[in-house]
Amino acid sequence: MRGKRTAIQPVWHWLQTAGQAVLRACEGPGRERDIVVQALKAALAAWVAWAVAGWWLKAPVAFVAPWVAVVLVESTVYRSIAHGLQQLAAIATGTVVATAAALLLHSAMTAMALVLPTVVLLGHWQRLGSQGIYAATGALFVLTNGQVTVATSAARIAEAVFGALVGIIVNALIRPPVYLRDSRAALQDAAGEAHDILEAVADGMAEDRWDADEAATWHERALRLERLVDQARSAIGWSRESMRVNLRRSRAHSVPGKDYDDAVVVLDYAAVHTAGVTRAVLEAASEDRPVARPGPSAARRYADFLHRTAQALQLYCQSRFGSRDDHELREAVRTLRDTHEELRRHLSRSVPDDPGQVATYGTLLTQARRLVDQLVATEP
């Protein structure tokens, strides 16, 4: 009975995840709804291509048209066009090479032995990008589909062109994808996580309840923060690409500007130095590697600094992509700068004779200064 329950749990978890995704798609705009729309558009493109090529025109190799159409409903319109041209070039290359070899050698098996290595190598040509594999696919369609004729191969290329046009047109005209919302959400997620990590560390230091396990958790979260920043950087790239040759582009959907790049830089610095802070705290809290732990007074002052830093990061993101104005951010940055100066003076007066504590204080103060420098540099 326990074995059955264990086997069912992954399926049940998958069903719950799928159900939640469906609910989010129904509730409002978001990634899940975008995926559903793209899936429906791909199905529509394939249906239109087959209806014309297979049902109406009764083309000899009509399946090529819906096959190409469905794979060219890409994540952006620009990518549909770029990949469409590359895919057509690859299919045409494989088709022409395979047709010529089969007609000259009069043997599909012999032609396959010679053609496939050639087209696979051609598929690695940089200009074909990720679509190079379709050179081998095009060659296989020729060599495994009965008698090889020039007319059939020409029809296959023509149907690939038609399918590509259908896929590109459907993707461009029917709710072309725009990822500006994803960029903003990714930046806000990274800023929110940085804020939460700094607040957690600050609360632990202020209450003197940070042990090795809790400090290790903070450090792991700080390391994951760098991945969130990388995801935000990638999302900005997707947003900019989705604006190219996009009919939905308008003033409401403008290309992410310098504010987005600046935010990534700020969050990148915050991620690096937050990891530095949590590493120093982890080493100080570790039992098997005893590094001097800051005294209660110094820990409380450092906690206050981290609280101020978390607030400044949150206000920075809200002023750039939310409803907050720059006045609150300016005040937060000035307060943070003053708090850092007070922390520096206090730690300078409190440095003990123990070299271990000197190293701990120095590391914490260095990371604090770097965080302040970056946030002060962004002051409006």
Side-chain angles (χ1 to χ4, degrees):
M1 191 70 178
R2 182 178 299 174
K4 290 183 179 179
R5 192 180 299 116
T6 303
I8 291 173
Q9 281 179 347
V11 178
W12 178 245
H13 177 72
W14 181 86
L15 290 173
Q16 284 183 314
T17 303
Q20 291 169 357
V22 171
L23 287 176
R24 287 194 294 270
C26 295
E27 287 172 355
R31 173 176 168 76
E32 289 77 12
R33 178 172 291 185
D34 290 342
I35 292 173
V36 171
V37 169
Q38 288 299 100
L40 293 174
K41 286 166 58 178
L44 174 63
W47 184 86
V48 170
W50 175 256
V52 175
W55 178 72
W56 182 32
L57 297 178
K58 300 189 185 302
V61 279
F63 71 92
V64 175
W67 169 63
V68 173
V70 76
V71 298
L72 284 184
V73 180
E74 291 270 5
S75 47
T76 66
V77 177
Y78 171 79
R79 191 158 295 203
S80 286
I81 296 172
H83 284 181
L85 294 173
Q86 290 175 327
Q87 188 178 126
L88 289 175
I91 291 173
T93 299
T95 301
V96 169
V97 172
T99 302
L103 292 176
L104 288 172
L105 298 172
H106 303 290
S107 170
M109 292 298 293
T110 305
M112 189 179 295
L114 295 175
V115 168
L116 286 182
T118 303
V119 293
V120 169
L121 287 173
L122 282 172
H124 290 283
W125 188 27
Q126 187 176 5
R127 289 187 178 276
L128 295 179
S130 61
Q131 306 303 303
I133 187 62
Y134 291 105
T137 304
L140 282 172
F141 282 164
V142 171
L143 299 172
T144 59
N145 199 33
Q147 186 177 4
V148 179
T149 65
V150 173
T152 303
S153 295
R156 185 175 285 107
I157 295 174
E159 285 150 23
V161 172
F162 174 70
L165 288 174
V166 171
I168 292 169
I169 290 170
V170 167
N171 203 30
L173 295 183
I174 302 177
R175 201 177 179 272
V178 175
Y179 295 95
L180 183 61
R181 177 183 61 250
D182 293 347
S183 297
R184 190 179 295 114
L187 288 168
Q188 290 171 340
D189 287 346
E193 179 65 2
H195 170 272
D196 293 346
I197 294 170
L198 291 171
E199 286 284 353
V201 177
D203 289 342
M205 294 185 75
E207 299 169 12
D208 196 29
R209 57 171 175 76
W210 41 297
D211 56 20
D213 291 337
E214 193 165 21
T217 301
W218 296 335
H219 188 52
E220 288 172 4
R221 289 181 64 187
L223 294 177
R224 288 196 297 269
L225 176 60
E226 295 184 30
R227 290 196 288 272
L228 288 179
V229 177
D230 288 338
Q231 290 171 11
R233 185 182 290 106
S234 176
I236 293 171
W238 277 100
S239 294
R240 286 174 175 156
E241 184 179 299
S242 72
M243 291 289 101
R244 302 174 71 176
V245 294
N246 192 325
L247 299 179
R248 287 177 69 197
R249 178 173 176 173
S250 63
R251 291 183 180 180
H253 294 104
S254 57
V255 177
K258 190 173 181 298
D259 282 351
Y260 285 78
D261 294 325
D262 292 344
V264 169
V265 171
V266 171
L267 291 172
D268 205 9
Y269 272 89
V272 170
H273 300 310
T274 298
V277 169
T278 55
R279 184 181 296 108
V281 171
L282 175 60
E283 290 176 351
S286 178
E287 295 178 357
D288 57 350
R289 186 185 175 186
V291 175
R293 188 182 182 119
S297 177
R300 283 194 297 271
R301 286 182 178 272
Y302 202 83
D304 183 49
F305 166 77
L306 292 180
H307 278 305
R308 303 288 184 185
T309 304
Q311 182 184 21
L313 275 173
Q314 187 177 51
L315 288 172
Y316 173 79
C317 199
Q318 289 175 349
S319 69
R320 292 296 180 271
F321 310 110
S323 57
R324 298 291 187 95
D325 57 32
D326 289 339
H327 174 72
E328 289 181 271
L329 176 61
R330 281 194 292 268
E331 289 298 321
V333 171
R334 292 192 188 104
T335 303
L336 176 63
R337 188 164 42 194
D338 294 340
T339 304
H340 174 261
E341 185 59 27
E342 292 174 6
L343 174 66
R344 188 188 63 79
R345 288 198 297 266
H346 177 80
L347 291 184
S348 298
R349 292 193 303 266
S350 306
V351 171
D353 295 331
D354 182 1
Q357 287 191 345
V358 172
T360 302
Y361 281 36
T363 301
L364 291 173
L365 191 58
T366 298
Q367 299 298 343
R369 179 183 60 77
R370 289 172 177 169
L371 280 168
V372 169
D373 288 346
Q374 187 58 37
L375 286 169
V376 168
T378 64
E379 186 176 357

